[in-house]
Amino acid sequence: MIYFVTSNRGKMEEARAMLGMELSQMDIGYPEIQADTLEEVVIFGMKDLAGRLDGPVMIEDAGLFVDALNGFPGVFSAYAQKTIGNAGILRLMEGAKDRGASFRSVVGYAEPGEEVRLFRGELRGKIAFAPRGEGGFGYDPIFEVGGITVAEMGLQDKNRISHRGQSIGAMREHLSGRT
Ligand code: IMP
């Protein structure tokens, strides 16, 4: 059994669909520092959690990186979602010809007393012109892949292609590769 420390139910559902029932959600919080990379945020969070739980622990940090906005909101994604929201991102993109963007995910995983392992994933797509779809969470309604937004996909389809599907898939591979 692995503790997934997160307060985000959407992430938890996606991770559980990837890993099965061996996951237990812990909403115990950890400092999310303002850093330049998702990796730094995850490593700092894992250091804070080390020793606080009696089993394997994972956390995940994700962000939306928009090409025309030089990677914004990136590591500021949670703050941007809370303040300007999807409507704010669409406003910043008004008139932008280049709609390219990435979702990125970094997972940190450690067993008690062991070093932290990082697993990454990236999904390339485009910023839509208007929000569409009811599924997913966060920026999903404004992020398009192959003509539909991630919020218009089912959870299984999202997991098959998404940044988080890749990072958690890599973690699953790592775990299944051990005896
Ligand atoms: P964090 O990883 O929880 O810090 O997420 C940063 C921000 O990106 C939050 O506002 C999330 O809602 C958003 N976010 C994270 N993952 C996804 C995703 O898979 N789809 C859409 N938005 C996401």
Side-chain angles (χ1 to χ4, degrees):
M1 205 271 304
I2 298 168
Y3 295 116
F4 185 9
V5 182
T6 180
S7 56
N8 182 321
R9 266 193 41 220
K11 282 189 184 185
M12 187 63 208
E13 280 169 25
E14 290 174 20
R16 197 166 261 147
M18 290 289 300
L19 291 171
M21 287 311 291
E22 51 190 276
L23 216 52
S24 169
Q25 180 173 9
M26 298 289 282
D27 192 356
I28 57 173
Y30 58 88
E32 286 198 41
I33 53 160
Q34 199 58 70
D36 292 338
T37 64
L38 299 177
E39 281 83 354
E40 287 170 80
V41 177
V42 169
I43 288 168
F44 193 89
M46 288 296 283
K47 280 198 183 129
D48 179 81
L49 288 166
R52 281 171 64 191
L53 291 164
D54 58 1
V57 179
M58 66 176 278
I59 59 178
E60 191 254 10
D61 201 48
L64 171 71
F65 296 75
V66 181
D67 299 353
L69 305 178
N70 294 320
F72 182 83
V75 290
F76 306 106
S77 290
Y79 183 71
Q81 180 63 229
K82 261 184 252 140
T83 51
I84 60 172
N86 289 341
I89 299 291
L90 292 180
R91 221 171 302 124
L92 291 174
M93 289 296 285
E94 270 170 23
K97 282 205 191 81
D98 178 4
R99 313 289 300 182
S102 292
F103 273 140
R104 292 201 197 118
S105 159
V106 176
V107 166
Y109 171 82
E111 295 176 9
E114 299 287 319
E115 265 187 35
V116 175
R117 308 259 331 193
L118 297 182
F119 303 95
R120 298 173 181 80
E122 175 166 1
L123 175 64
R124 284 293 299 166
K126 287 183 176 161
I127 301 299
F129 288 93
R132 300 194 314 273
E134 303 296 324
F137 63 94
Y139 297 101
D140 284 344
I142 60 163
F143 193 94
E144 262 181 24
V145 181
I148 63 167
T149 69
V150 177
E152 292 175 308
M153 294 174 192
L155 183 142
Q156 301 293 347
D157 286 342
K158 178 177 176 183
N159 267 350
R160 244 192 300 280
I161 60 166
S162 79
H163 49 311
R164 188 166 302 104
Q166 292 170 43
S167 57
I168 293 180
M171 180 186 117
R172 187 180 61 193
E173 289 269 293
H174 164 73
L175 294 177
S176 71
R178 298 172 324 165
T179 45

